[in-house]
């Protein structure tokens, strides 16, 4: 029988597997020590350094064998690495050595050696392999063009600008100049104090516009440039295929609970692409190509009217080929075949790729891909496709689970953007927390340019509108405006940090907000637990998740991660997290456990002038701290100060898009641009 072939020689596959193993181990280290952030400390910080070392003990090599630390991502029980080695047909006798090499330090010494192996042209490489390597790279470029042409960037920006203007007119609080306060001085002192505190064990990003040394030395950089662009694309394609493969034996003690696309695999591929200097959108294009390949197999079998036995045999050949297994990559109607592969950009791209993909995956052939493209608009066989991918029900958009938990009245996902039903292998869930109208669950996110399949979570709109309106009424009240004129609002947070008394007038004025705020906090905690349940059940499909939320929406995300930390043993579900203006205390929450649930970047966006949060959390702010107004001093959490960008808590409603654009969360390393 004909199986899918590889464009890499055995030596090149060995080198690719080794580089992936190193990237996987480095990604785990970067959970607590983000790439590009100096770890240097002053002499007085030895005790703190001990704490950092303790935290990273299972992440960094200390000379011990990999087999001695089952918490390592490169350990056999993680279920992350050996299936990839097996799919790449790397000799099993070499596996342990590759794992040990990945965990040895410094990594840069090994990166160069394996990079050289990849760059070498093998004498046994056939002309056909070279031709296919070039064809695959061209196919990836074509898919990138297809993705970019469907983004409508200018139209989105114009639409969001209209929304921002509308919000400013309705909700922006006039900034009142005060002679009683030197705001610049307060800001400078607050920045300095926050930065000193956060640099003890956290990360503060103020201007990350320069790229860190991602390969670490000039020699390694030079060696990476020796690899051709076509080779880099092929390496990523084969590694991604191996990550999604079902070609592995179950490990009884494996901590990995799910088949599919593990968030830790995606973070490792993101780092490898960074080393290769390959734009991330090209990896996303390769993800779409692999997904289309899997869908084409199902469609070609369907169109040939093969019986069950034959279909099963074809799927078995697919698994042996190592492209993808019967993993839950997408949920229900989210897969392209089930409702809309014929979206113009992808359908055209899919048809154009048929010759190339047909050669790379001969079990399907060009005819199978072409047939799948022509029949993509049909819904025939959607049940079979869903079953093949282990999909659960109708996916996120069919999820209305409000009455399952306590007092929640509303909990519903809404699809946004143009990337649905197009084979995307990663999902983004966006959670708003300041809401004056139902459209505010969706509009803050519509202007974002993303290649992810995106959903907003609409939750407890009645309560959110009540608390948001109450806060806005207070901010625009005569008393609040008078306090602003006196400078009380600008100094309230800095005064609190010095343990000075809150102005009595503020406390009295805030009393009427408390009951609504308390209810909203309670509901956000319950919504977070329900979100964790959704992710654990795989209703999004077993695909990496990015979670972004502001205000009470950030609290929903935190409580989701907190719930996951109670039962999950690793970060296989969530790839990245961004929380903005989060009403979450710092000192009495298990931030370290929560951080372990996120495979990649974890970003806390705060503003030192957000006294709305300060007032709402006034009872515990002094003793417990608050994520929305100060850094979280936990290794691996990036803290981004946006005091100069936000005018108040409500402005996250229209400023979140601009903040996310400056964060450039598709980059592997911490960054926050001063300008766009």
């Amino acid at each position: 029988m004909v199986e899918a072939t590889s464009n890499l020689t055995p030596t090149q596959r060995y080198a690719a597997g080794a580089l992936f193993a190193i990237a996987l181990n480095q990604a785990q280290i970067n959970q607590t020590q983000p790439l590009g952030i100096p770890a240097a400390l002053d002499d007085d910080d030895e005790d703190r350094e001990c704490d950092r070392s303790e935290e990273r003990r299972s992440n960094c090599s200390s000379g011990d064998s990999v087999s001695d630390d089952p918490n390592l991502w490169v350990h056999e029980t993680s279920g992350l690495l050996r299936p990839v080695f097996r799919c790449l047909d790397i000799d099993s006798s070499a596996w342990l050595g590759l794992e040990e090499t990945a965990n040895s330090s410094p990594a840069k010494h090994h990166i160069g050696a394996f990079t050289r192996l990849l760059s070498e042209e093998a004498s046994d490489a056939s002309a056909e392999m070279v031709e296919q390597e070039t064809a695959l790279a061209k196919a990836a470029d074509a898919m990138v063009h297809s993705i970019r042409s469907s983004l409508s960037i200018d139209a989105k920006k114009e639409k969001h600008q209209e929304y921002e203007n509308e919000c400013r007119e309705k909700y922006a609080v006039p900034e009142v100049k005060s002679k009683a306060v030197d705001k610049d001085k307060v800001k400078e002192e607050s920045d300095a104090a926050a930065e000193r505190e956060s640099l003890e064990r956290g990360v503060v990003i103020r201007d990350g516009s320069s790229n860190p040394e991602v390969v670490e030395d000039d020699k390694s950089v030079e060696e990476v440039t020796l690899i051709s662009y076509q080779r880099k694309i092929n390496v990523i394609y084969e590694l991604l295929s191996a990550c999604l493969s079902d070609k592995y034996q179950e490990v009884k003690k494996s901590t990995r609970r799910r088949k599919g696309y593990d968030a830790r695999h995606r973070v490792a591929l993101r780092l490898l692409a960074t080393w290769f200097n390959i734009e991330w959108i090209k990896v996303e294009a390769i993800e779409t190509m692999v997904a289309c390949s899997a869908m084409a197999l199902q469609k070609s079998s369907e169109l040939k009217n093969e019986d069950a036995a034959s279909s099963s045999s074809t799927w078995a050949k697919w698994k042996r080929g190592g492209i993808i297994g019967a993993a839950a990559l997408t949920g229900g109607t989210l897969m392209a075949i089930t409702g809309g592969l014929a979206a113009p950009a992808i359908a055209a791209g899919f048809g154009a790729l048929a010759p190339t993909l047909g050669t790379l995956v001969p079990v399907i052939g060009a005819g199978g891909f072409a047939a799948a493209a022509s029949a993509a608009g049909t819904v025939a066989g959607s049940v079979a496709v869903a079953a093949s991918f282990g999909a659960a029900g109708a996916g996120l958009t069919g999820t209305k689970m409000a009455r399952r938990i306590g007092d929640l009245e509303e909990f519903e996902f809404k699809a946004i953007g143009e990337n649905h039903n197009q084979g995307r292998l990663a999902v983004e869930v966006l959670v708003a927390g300041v809401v004056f109208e139902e459209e505010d669950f969706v509009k803050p996110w519509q202007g974002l340019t993303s290649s992810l399949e995106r959903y907003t979570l609409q939750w407890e709109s009645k309560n959110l509108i009540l608390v948001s309106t109450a806060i806005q009424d207070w901010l625009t009240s005569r008393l609040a405006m008078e306090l602003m004129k006196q400078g009380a609002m600008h100094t309230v947070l800095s005064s609190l940090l010095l343990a000075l008394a809150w102005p009595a007038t503020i406390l009295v004025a805030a009393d009427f907000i408390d009951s609504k705020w308390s209810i909203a906090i309670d509901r956000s905690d319950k919504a977070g637990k329900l979100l964790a349940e959704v992710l654990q059940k795989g209703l999004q499909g077993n695909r990496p998740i990015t979670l972004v939320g502001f205000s009470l929406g950030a609290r929903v995300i935190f409580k989701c991660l907190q719930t996951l930390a109670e039962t999950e043993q690793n970060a296989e579900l969530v790839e990245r997290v961004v929380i903005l203006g989060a009403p979450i205390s710092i000192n009495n929450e298990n931030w370290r456990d929560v951080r372990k649930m996120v495979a990649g970047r974890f970003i806390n966006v705060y503003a030192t002038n957000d006294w709305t949060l300060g007032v709402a959390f006034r009872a515990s702010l002094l003793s417990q701290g608050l994520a929305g107004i100060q850094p979280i001093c936990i290794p691996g959490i990036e803290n981004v100060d946006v005091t100069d960008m936000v005018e108040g808590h409500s402005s996250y409603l229209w400023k979140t898009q601009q903040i996310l654009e400056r964060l450039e969360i598709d980059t592997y390393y911490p960054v926050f641009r001063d300008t766009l």
Side-chain angles (χ1 to χ4, degrees):
M1 292 184 182
V2 180
E3 294 187 2
T5 57
S6 171
N7 290 330
L8 301 177
T9 66
T11 299
Q12 291 166 348
R13 292 199 301 274
Y14 172 84
L19 284 173
F20 183 74
I22 295 171
L24 188 65
N25 190 64
Q26 290 300 305
Q28 185 178 16
I29 292 173
N30 295 151
Q31 266 194 314
T32 53
Q33 186 180 329
L35 183 65
I37 300 299
L41 297 172
D42 296 334
D43 294 338
D44 296 336
D45 294 328
E46 291 181 1
D47 292 338
R48 297 184 186 117
E49 173 62 13
C50 291
D51 292 339
R52 291 170 67 94
S53 299
E54 179 67 24
E55 175 68 20
R56 299 198 304 269
R57 179 170 294 171
S58 68
N59 292 354
C60 302
S61 171
S62 58
D64 296 333
S65 171
V66 169
S67 59
D68 295 334
D69 192 347
N71 293 318
L72 289 172
W73 292 358
V74 294
H75 192 277
E76 177 184 3
T77 58
S78 73
L80 292 173
L81 202 50
R82 294 199 172 187
V84 173
F85 290 161
R86 183 176 287 109
C87 190
L88 293 174
D89 287 329
I90 296 174
D91 193 302
S92 58
S93 63
W95 294 356
L96 183 58
L98 288 175
E99 291 164 353
E100 295 291 350
T101 298
N103 191 46
S104 62
S105 181
K108 62 184 179 182
H109 292 163
H110 306 295
I111 293 173
F114 291 118
T115 298
R116 284 194 300 274
L117 285 180
L118 269 183
S119 66
E120 294 173 357
E121 296 299 332
S123 57
D124 56 344
S126 65
E128 183 181 4
M129 289 175 64
V130 175
E131 184 179 340
Q132 289 183 5
E133 186 176 70
T134 302
L136 180 61
K138 289 181 178 179
D141 290 342
M143 186 61 77
V144 168
H145 177 73
S146 178
I147 292 172
R148 282 178 168 157
S149 65
S150 65
L151 293 179
S152 306
I153 297 175
D154 292 338
K156 286 183 176 180
K157 286 185 176 180
E158 183 178 345
K159 191 172 183 179
H160 184 76
Q161 187 61 53
E162 292 176 0
Y163 176 65
E164 179 177 342
N165 294 339
E166 180 183 333
C167 286
R168 284 182 177 278
E169 185 177 344
K170 290 181 179 179
Y171 312 124
V173 178
E175 185 176 356
V176 182
K177 299 293 182 181
S178 170
K179 295 181 180 179
V181 179
D182 184 343
K183 293 198 320 186
D184 291 337
K185 183 177 180 181
V186 170
K187 171 71 167 58
E188 184 178 340
E189 292 174 352
S190 176
D191 284 353
E195 187 163 8
R196 281 195 302 271
E197 182 181 5
S198 66
L199 285 177
E200 291 177 2
R201 287 195 280 173
V203 179
V204 173
I205 308 299
R206 296 195 185 283
D207 177 14
S209 55
S210 58
N211 296 354
E213 296 179 17
V214 295
V215 185
E216 299 187 39
D217 66 3
D218 293 338
K219 186 176 180 181
S220 294
V221 171
E222 181 181 346
E223 286 160 341
V224 166
T225 60
L226 294 176
I227 308 177
S228 69
Y229 168 73
Q230 292 82 0
R231 180 69 44 79
K232 293 173 183 177
I233 293 295
N234 275 262
V235 167
I236 293 173
Y237 177 86
E238 297 215 14
L239 285 173
L240 173 63
S241 300
C243 289
L244 300 178
S245 172
D246 197 28
K247 187 180 178 183
Y248 70 94
Q249 299 171 353
E250 297 287 349
V251 179
K252 291 182 179 180
K253 295 182 180 180
S254 175
T255 57
R256 189 180 177 193
R257 299 181 178 182
R258 302 165 183 86
K259 298 178 182 179
Y261 197 2
D262 195 292
R264 294 165 293 178
H265 276 158
R266 198 168 197 252
V267 172
L269 287 171
R270 195 181 289 276
L271 176 55
L272 188 62
T274 303
W275 288 344
F276 282 177
N277 196 28
I278 294 292
E279 289 181 277
W280 180 248
I281 192 173
K282 294 191 177 181
V283 182
E284 291 177 318
I286 294 170
E287 290 177 337
T288 301
M289 289 164 58
V290 171
C292 287
S293 300
M295 291 184 285
L297 171 76
Q298 180 64 42
K299 181 58 66 175
S300 62
S301 298
E302 183 183 308
L303 295 176
K304 292 176 182 176
N305 297 316
E306 295 179 347
D307 58 28
S310 177
S311 180
S312 174
S313 174
T314 301
W315 191 256
K317 286 190 290 181
W318 178 263
K319 288 191 290 183
R320 283 201 304 275
I323 303 297
I324 200 168
L329 290 180
T330 63
T333 58
L334 308 184
M335 204 59 182
I337 295 285
T338 63
L341 178 63
I346 296 302
F350 192 28
L353 292 175
T356 298
L357 294 180
T359 303
L360 293 168
V361 192
V363 71
I364 304 173
F369 280 99
S374 64
T378 71
V379 294
S382 60
V383 174
V385 174
S388 295
F389 284 89
L396 290 179
T397 50
T399 302
K400 291 186 179 181
M401 306 173 62
R403 289 173 178 78
R404 285 196 187 181
I405 290 186
D407 301 322
L408 285 185
E409 297 177 359
E410 185 180 24
F411 188 94
E412 180 180 357
F413 293 93
K414 293 190 174 183
I416 63 169
E418 57 283 301
N419 298 325
H420 295 269
N421 302 321
Q422 295 187 23
R424 297 293 193 262
L425 294 188
V427 178
E428 185 172 40
V429 175
L430 307 157
V431 192
V434 176
V435 178
F436 295 99
E437 303 172 13
E438 282 198 10
E439 65 179 17
D440 293 334
F441 283 108
V442 175
K443 285 194 172 181
W445 318 105
Q446 285 184 323
L448 291 171
T449 300
S450 172
S451 297
L452 299 176
E453 188 172 288
R454 297 188 298 148
Y455 299 86
T456 62
L457 175 60
Q458 183 164 320
W459 62 287
E460 294 299 283
S461 57
K462 180 180 177 180
N463 285 294
L464 285 183
I465 291 172
L466 282 174
V467 72
S468 298
T469 302
I471 291 174
Q472 186 66 20
D473 289 345
W474 176 44
L475 292 177
T476 55
S477 67
R478 181 176 178 181
L479 176 58
M481 296 299 289
E482 184 62 30
L483 289 169
M484 289 184 202
K485 289 180 181 179
Q486 297 171 10
M489 294 305 188
H490 296 302
T491 59
V492 68
L493 295 179
S494 57
S495 297
L496 181 67
L497 295 176
L498 295 173
L500 300 180
W502 285 78
T505 47
I506 291 182
L507 301 183
V508 173
D511 283 344
F512 82 101
I513 295 177
D514 289 350
S515 60
K516 297 180 181 65
W517 180 259
S518 297
I519 293 172
I521 288 290
D522 175 69
R523 301 296 169 84
S524 65
D525 292 354
K526 290 176 179 176
K529 292 178 181 179
L530 186 50
L531 179 57
E533 179 184 332
V534 168
L535 300 186
Q536 288 178 309
K537 288 182 179 296
L539 296 183
Q540 77 288 353
N542 287 351
R543 296 179 290 176
I545 305 291
T546 294
L547 298 172
V548 183
F550 60 84
S551 185
L552 289 163
R555 187 176 178 93
V556 170
I557 290 172
F558 178 83
K559 289 299 176 180
C560 166
L561 296 172
Q562 201 171 51
T563 303
L564 291 178
E566 295 172 359
T567 56
E568 296 290 321
Q569 301 180 50
N570 51 54
E572 65 180 281
L573 287 172
V574 182
E575 182 190 2
R576 299 170 299 180
V577 164
V578 183
I579 54 175
L580 307 95
I584 309 165
S585 61
I586 295 176
N587 296 336
N588 67 343
E589 299 286 4
N590 56 336
W591 284 94
R592 292 175 187 270
D593 292 338
V594 165
R595 179 62 183 91
K596 291 176 183 177
M597 293 297 101
V598 183
R601 294 176 67 182
F602 191 124
I603 306 168
N604 171 51
V605 176
Y606 68 96
T608 59
N609 60 350
D610 192 346
W611 50 266
T612 302
L613 273 188
V615 170
F617 263 76
R618 61 190 180 277
S620 61
L621 183 57
L622 181 59
S623 60
Q624 301 299 338
L626 187 63
I629 65 171
Q630 62 193 121
I632 303 165
C633 302
I634 297 296
I637 294 182
E638 301 170 38
N639 293 289
V640 177
D641 185 351
V642 295
T643 303
D644 291 337
M645 293 182 65
V646 299
E647 301 136 28
H649 193 67
S650 297
S651 60
Y652 282 114
L653 191 63
W654 61 87
K655 277 293 186 180
T656 292
Q657 174 178 326
Q658 185 180 351
I659 294 170
L660 291 175
E661 288 172 348
R662 292 191 181 187
L663 284 171
E664 297 187 5
I665 60 174
D666 272 342
T667 60
Y668 179 83
Y669 46 82
V671 63
F672 186 65
R673 304 291 184 189
D674 278 350
T675 57
L676 291 176

